[in-house]
Amino acid sequence: VQLQASGGGWVQAGGSLRLSCAASGRTFSSLDMGWFRQTPETGREIVAAINWSGDTTYYADSVKGRFTSSRDNAKSTVYLQMISLKPEDTAVYYCAARASGVYYPTGVYDYWGQGTLVTVSS
């Protein structure tokens, strides 16, 4: 599975960005997807996840109410809509995938994209 994340950039606090992650190499609807972020200070943490069908999502407490994950299986793409961004959201964001099964959003992901940088200025 190959994952290509895009949509990162610079935004002022309170602004919005939408990340996209295009998948190839496997039937997209057979994958549960996750969004992670990483900084040198905090390490890698999960921020959101969505199951294969899109009807079950998970969000870290730090982003609940501000981030929304969705997916378009016809386009083999998962999205992370981020609003009300804060400086502490600054990180490299990664999408990841795992074979669907028993939904366990904080479990191990097998496939990773290359990351896209999000910078939120105060």
Side-chain angles (χ1 to χ4, degrees), residues 17-70:
L17 281 175
R18 188 177 81 156
L19 306 183
S20 300
C21 176
S24 61
R26 180 165 177 164
T27 302
F28 188 62
S29 58
S30 69
L31 298 171
D32 294 334
M33 302 298 294
W35 286 99
F36 292 75
R37 65 187 181 189
Q38 184 170 6
T39 70
E41 295 77 25
T42 62
R44 183 175 290 180
E45 60 176 350
I46 188 168
V47 294
I50 187 167
N51 76 329
W52 68 273
S53 64
D55 62 5
T56 303
T57 53
Y58 165 89
Y59 299 99
D61 288 343
S62 57
V63 306
K64 279 181 181 176
R66 301 187 299 119
F67 290 13
T68 303
S69 185
S70 62

Side-chain angles (χ1 to χ4, degrees), residues 3-121:
L3 303 173
Q4 182 73 39
S6 61
W10 178 91
V11 64
Q12 287 189 320
S16 302
L17 281 175
R18 188 177 81 156
L19 306 183
S20 300
C21 176
S24 61
R26 180 165 177 164
T27 302
F28 188 62
S29 58
S30 69
L31 298 171
D32 294 334
M33 302 298 294
W35 286 99
F36 292 75
R37 65 187 181 189
Q38 184 170 6
T39 70
E41 295 77 25
T42 62
R44 183 175 290 180
E45 60 176 350
I46 188 168
V47 294
I50 187 167
N51 76 329
W52 68 273
S53 64
D55 62 5
T56 303
T57 53
Y58 165 89
Y59 299 99
D61 288 343
S62 57
V63 306
K64 279 181 181 176
R66 301 187 299 119
F67 290 13
T68 303
S69 185
S70 62
R71 64 190 293 160
D72 185 337
N73 285 351
K75 296 182 177 179
S76 298
T77 301
V78 63
Y79 305 98
L80 185 67
Q81 179 68 51
M82 307 183 292
I83 66 171
S84 303
L85 283 162
K86 305 175 181 179
E88 51 264 43
D89 294 318
T90 295
V92 177
Y93 283 72
Y94 298 86
C95 61
R98 56 183 295 177
S100 63
V102 176
Y103 187 52
Y104 188 38
T106 59
V108 175
Y109 286 76
D110 302 307
Y111 311 101
W112 292 83
Q114 85 289 1
T116 185
L117 176 63
V118 172
T119 304
V120 184
S121 66

